[in-house]
Amino acid sequence: LYDEMRSGRGYQSHWGNRMHFGLGDSTEIEIIEVTWPDGAVQEVSAPTVDRRLTIVQQPRSKAEAGEADTSP
């Protein structure tokens, strides 16, 4: 399954930030892969089904962000 979250606001409105995925007859999920706006990819393995799951972007290391290490 694939879905994209867009943050948008209009006059007296907001799209919200909750996504919903129906699993049909499936009873498990192998992995959730999130691609964040900055290009970072985060994976959540075998999350519990039939509940809300909050995924918060984890900080990236300098190497993951493509920054040079300038430490002595």
Side-chain angles (χ1 to χ4, degrees):
L1 299 173
Y2 170 87
D3 201 354
E4 184 174 322
M5 178 178 290
R6 296 179 183 265
S7 178
R9 292 181 61 112
Y11 180 70
Q12 295 184 346
S13 67
H14 183 267
W15 291 12
N17 58 1
R18 188 176 294 163
M19 300 177 85
H20 178 267
F21 292 91
L23 302 178
D25 292 333
S26 298
T27 58
E28 63 184 16
I29 301 170
E30 290 180 29
I31 193 164
I32 295 174
E33 182 178 277
V34 178
T35 303
W36 297 99
D38 67 357
V41 176
Q42 184 174 341
E43 294 182 347
V44 179
S45 297
T48 306
V49 298
D50 291 332
R51 64 188 61 227
R52 289 184 184 160
L53 175 66
T54 301
I55 301 175
V56 178
Q57 185 175 9
Q58 300 300 307
R60 296 193 326 170
S61 69
K62 288 184 179 182
E64 290 173 323
E67 298 175 19
D69 184 4
T70 57
S71 59

